[in-house]
Amino acid sequence: MKVHEYQARELMQQAGIPVPPCEVVDSGDQVATAWERIGAETVVVKAQVHAGGRGKAGYVKLVNSPTEAQEHAARMLREPMVSKQTGPDGIQVRKVLLAAAVDIAKEYYLGVVLDRARRVPVMMASAEGGVEIEEVAEKNPDAIKKAWFHPHLGLQRFQAVQLAGEIGLRGDQAKTATKMMLQLARLFNQKDCTLAEINPLVETKDGQLLAIDAKFNFDDNALFRHPDVEGMFDPSEENPAELRAKEFNLSYIALDGNIGCLVNGAGLAMSTMDIIKLHGGEPANFLDVGGSVTAEGAVEAFRIILADARVKAVLVNIFGGIAKCDVIADALIKAAKEVGFKVPVVVRLEGTNVDKAREMLKEANIDGMHTANDLTDAAKKVCAFV
Ligand code: ADP
Ligand code: MG
């Protein structure tokens, strides 16, 4: 799960990491009051969305008056933000953060992620923080210093001291940075984060160190341990089809192709996508209806797939084990009645109760439905339709 920057700031504050004063607004009208509360001469206006690259997209703006702040806030709330990390249509901004601007002398980077290869968390620090960090990582990876640490023991003070030195910090600043790294690593562990990143960590002209942007992601499977974090969930940032699928216990992920897939089992779903690609097609989604799927769940799955305008054909691939073929056949018949098959639907059923299922489908004689003998036959047929 992702959270917004303003929520990440709350968590940092609780952890003792210094952040400049800020206010969140969801309309231009609230800007004047927010401005007063912040009480700074220069303020930065920042779109709150679950995507980075805001600075480069024009959605982080330094302003010197409440009127200017209001104009930018209103624009951000009106026009979808398009950045490197969004699609070409961009994403709608629903909240804007106003924060006291700081006089920046230098921008650093601090981040904790899981190193999956080494199977431990790693603290990363760089003296080349800011909006170009992705490029630094790609072209000059040595500029990112790393310290791997034990998941239970946490980052050790000597490691943080060493990192602070490696990114060129001395004296009091090195002490402060050491403390911040320890706080960030502790936060990462305590809240079951998969990412805890401060970028930039700013050195101000008067020598202070402040976190002015942060990105935190959390392990969904551990959310039950953190009701405070779970409460930060913002459904408006999620793909609506994926949210609906979740309600019905369906694992659905939208992809870019035009062949909708309805499959039981994650492994079978992966191989179904592979075989579609092998025959020259592109899957429009990953969809695992699971073993305990009900007819209602399967009908909902059809609704989600068929609601996607890019879908030009559907491949139903069911290997009946715990999930029974007749339940899927029943769902197919119901879905055909309820939503109608505007695009061809190729069906491959095998396993538990398959004979009963075939009979049901034969009797129903659904318009737009095509049966396949095996998986290769099914993949060829569905690819020929698009
Ligand atoms: P993003 O990472 O989405 O581009 P950031 O919050 O990191 O957004 O902002 C981009 C850049 O804008 C920062 O690297 C910094 O140079 C500048 N900036 C952001 N917040 C402030 C602030 N409070 N004061 C001064 N400059 C800021
Ligand atoms: Mg940033």
Side-chain angles (χ1 to χ4, degrees):
M1 190 189 109
K2 294 181 180 177
V3 297
H4 290 293
E5 175 194 358
Y6 75 91
Q7 296 165 322
R9 281 173 179 245
E10 277 169 32
L11 293 168
M12 286 196 293
Q13 245 168 344
Q14 286 166 18
I17 299 171
V19 294
C22 67
E23 293 283 330
V24 183
V25 302
D26 51 25
S27 85
D29 305 341
Q30 300 162 357
V31 169
T33 323
W35 183 282
E36 295 273 314
R37 282 210 201 125
I38 294 166
E41 266 173 40
T42 312
V43 159
V44 61
V45 183
K46 311 172 86 175
Q48 298 297 289
V49 283
H50 287 178
R54 297 168 303 169
K56 287 188 167 177
Y59 280 66
V60 174
K61 283 284 176 194
L62 280 170
V63 293
N64 296 307
S65 73
T67 333
E68 239 185 307
Q70 187 165 352
E71 276 167 21
H72 280 294
R75 168 184 60 87
M76 292 177 191
L77 290 164
R78 191 176 58 236
E79 295 164 17
M81 180 188 108
V82 183
S83 87
K84 239 186 180 173
Q85 296 186 17
T86 70
D89 295 337
I91 41 174
Q92 182 62 46
V93 180
R94 290 183 173 82
K95 283 193 167 71
V96 169
L97 177 89
L98 277 77
V102 294
D103 257 341
I104 300 177
K106 191 167 170 49
E107 299 191 10
Y108 295 89
Y109 171 93
L110 290 185
V112 189
V113 286
L114 266 182
D115 182 331
R116 289 179 189 276
R118 297 202 191 194
R119 291 184 269 177
V120 289
V122 56
M123 178 78 178
M124 300 180 290
S126 178
E128 297 186 33
V131 294
E132 304 290 352
I133 191 69
E134 279 88 2
E135 209 161 298
V136 174
E138 205 174 294
K139 299 199 173 131
N140 187 16
D142 292 344
I144 298 173
K145 308 298 175 193
K146 295 178 180 173
W148 288 267
F149 58 92
H150 191 284
H152 292 156
L153 300 178
L155 184 75
Q156 299 298 297
R157 178 167 294 273
F158 77 88
Q159 295 180 293
V161 169
Q162 190 170 343
L163 280 175
E166 280 176 340
I167 61 171
L169 292 166
R170 302 286 175 263
D172 281 348
Q173 283 187 345
K175 273 191 198 149
T176 311
T178 300
K179 196 172 154 201
M180 286 168 95
M181 282 188 244
L182 293 170
Q183 287 163 326
L184 189 64
R186 208 174 301 133
L187 181 58
F188 176 90
N189 266 357
Q190 278 175 352
K191 298 286 182 193
D192 292 305
C193 292
T194 53
L195 168 76
E197 177 185 86
I198 300 174
N199 186 38
L201 168 69
V202 154
E203 179 189 325
T204 62
K205 295 221 168 106
D206 56 9
Q208 280 179 286
L209 284 181
L210 293 169
I212 68 164
D213 182 24
K215 193 163 282 159
F216 291 171
N217 296 346
F218 301 86
D219 183 347
D220 289 344
N221 295 317
L223 278 179
F224 71 96
R225 299 204 284 213
H226 310 290
D228 56 334
V229 175
E230 207 170 17
M232 292 178 172
F233 179 64
D234 179 358
S236 68
E237 292 282 323
E238 305 292 313
N239 176 319
E242 288 178 15
L243 272 183
R244 247 172 61 206
K246 219 180 256 172
E247 277 172 37
F248 284 84
N249 279 326
L250 307 164
S251 310
Y252 172 89
I253 295 158
L255 301 168
D256 295 329
N258 57 7
I259 299 179
C261 305
L262 189 151
V263 189
N264 69 320
L268 189 60
M270 297 297 277
S271 36
T272 304
M273 298 192 323
D274 279 349
I275 202 161
I276 287 174
K277 280 193 170 259
L278 185 69
H279 292 283
E282 284 293 335
N285 66 276
F286 168 97
L287 173 59
D288 169 15
V289 297
S292 52
V293 67
T294 57
E296 289 74 45
V299 172
E300 185 60 25
F302 270 109
R303 259 192 226 119
I304 292 169
I305 293 178
L306 295 171
D308 183 346
R310 295 165 315 168
V311 169
K312 299 287 177 261
V314 178
L315 173 54
V316 177
N317 183 20
I318 300 294
F319 191 86
I322 302 167
K324 297 186 178 56
C325 290
D326 57 318
V327 173
I328 300 293
D330 184 34
L332 270 164
I333 296 164
K334 283 195 177 126
K337 270 199 199 125
E338 265 184 52
V339 264
F341 294 161
K342 288 157 288 189
V343 297
V345 175
V346 178
V347 180
R348 180 255 179 173
L349 296 173
E350 217 38 91
T352 311
N353 296 355
V354 69
D355 295 335
K356 188 172 165 199
R358 287 200 177 125
E359 218 155 275
M360 286 163 70
L361 290 179
K362 202 170 166 195
E363 207 165 294
N365 192 22
I366 303 168
D367 256 1
M369 204 195 79
H370 308 262
T371 51
N373 302 327
D374 56 39
L375 192 44
T376 303
D377 182 40
K380 281 184 181 160
K381 275 186 178 145
V382 79
C383 289
F385 281 123
V386 297

